[in-house]
Amino acid sequence: MCAATVAPRDKEPLRARAELYAPTRLSTKVQRLFFTRTLVTDIIAQQCTLLVYAAARTSMPLRENALPRVGILGGGHIGCAVAVKLLKSDFPASNIAISTRQPDRVLKCDALQSPQHLALFQAVPRYYDNVRLCKESDVLVLCMPPSQLKSVSIQIKHALALPDCATLVISTLCGATLESLQKACGTRLLVKTRVNVPRLVGLLDMSHGAIGIAAEELGESRF
């Protein structure tokens, strides 16, 4: 009598539980790095928002719609944070567009943790066409990885070099000087965000130390 053959089951992919990567489960040193990254991202997004509104007040005061069209090139952590920060300041979603390689994908990042922020973000047009984004934007925010600067600048350099182009470029790329960015993009209408990370970490250490001293004093007063 032949034994019945059992068809092999497809192995399910290994999935790690999301809570295993929660900041509270990380070591103290890694927690500080995680918090610093989140804080730096938020500062960069805030700087971009201020620059967008500054551009609206200085170079576009005569328009009926005084708010510029903002194009965000890159849909990663920085790009999402910039979009959410603008939306939280009551900037209309119709004036924002994002060019990303995966326009249908919604990144799991700190800026989109809130359901309210996610709903606002979903209203922003997303597609993958860097040249179109450049041509249709009054302010172009570069949020892609620094390693992609060369390939992206080749795509947008011609549009930025047109005589009637007055697009302001805001760069969030680290490790790239203002001169190299202007040369790569072919425009001098370019500014970049800047965060003094060592000083920020020092301030965080000081604040943590102050909290620790206060906790010790509170403990001594209790006991």
Side-chain angles (χ1 to χ4, degrees):
M1 185 174 180
C2 297
T5 57
V6 180
R9 293 183 178 180
D10 294 334
K11 291 185 178 180
E12 295 184 358
L14 180 63
R15 296 180 180 178
R17 291 179 297 170
E19 58 267 22
L20 295 177
Y21 296 96
T24 53
R25 295 185 63 93
L26 304 174
S27 66
T28 304
K29 183 177 180 180
V30 177
Q31 281 187 34
R32 186 176 65 171
L33 294 174
F34 185 89
F35 180 70
T36 303
R37 187 195 71 171
T38 303
L39 190 57
V40 168
T41 301
D42 190 65
I43 292 173
I44 290 174
Q46 180 67 24
Q47 290 180 358
C48 290
T49 302
L50 293 175
L51 288 169
V52 167
Y53 279 102
R57 292 180 64 87
T58 56
S59 60
M60 306 162 195
L62 300 179
R63 286 188 177 182
E64 294 181 3
N65 180 10
L67 293 177
R69 298 165 298 176
V70 179
I72 300 174
L73 205 159
H77 288 268
I78 299 293
C80 291
V82 172
V84 170
K85 187 68 72 173
L86 284 168
L87 293 168
K88 287 172 63 178
S89 68
D90 295 329
F91 201 90
S94 58
N95 280 42
I96 305 173
I98 299 176
S99 177
T100 175
R101 291 183 176 181
Q102 296 177 308
D104 297 328
R105 177 192 174 205
V106 178
L107 187 70
K108 293 183 179 180
C109 60
D110 297 332
L112 301 178
Q113 291 293 328
S114 167
Q116 182 182 5
H117 295 168
L118 181 59
L120 290 172
F121 181 79
Q122 294 282 21
V124 176
R126 301 191 301 275
Y127 50 80
Y128 182 39
D129 191 336
N130 296 336
V131 177
R132 171 190 168 188
L133 184 78
C134 182
K135 290 181 178 179
E136 295 180 354
S137 301
D138 300 310
V139 178
L140 182 66
V141 187
L142 303 182
C143 299
M144 71 285 187
S147 59
Q148 297 179 10
L149 174 61
K150 184 176 181 179
S151 60
V152 169
S153 62
I154 291 174
Q155 300 174 37
I156 66 175
K157 190 172 185 178
H158 177 71
L160 291 174
L162 294 176
D164 58 343
C165 178
T167 301
L168 172 66
V169 181
I170 302 174
S171 171
T172 67
L173 310 186
C174 62
T177 64
L178 185 63
E179 292 75 15
S180 63
L181 288 166
Q182 290 175 341
K183 183 178 180 180
C185 296
T187 178
R188 297 189 64 84
L189 292 175
L190 192 148
V191 294
K192 61 174 296 184
T193 60
R194 181 174 298 178
V195 181
N196 191 336
V197 178
R199 176 168 173 76
L200 181 63
V201 173
L203 292 174
L204 289 175
D205 290 341
M206 290 174 59
S207 64
H208 289 166
I211 293 173
I213 293 172
E216 290 179 2
E217 292 177 350
L218 182 61
E220 291 175 358
S221 64
R222 281 186 174 182
F223 299 101

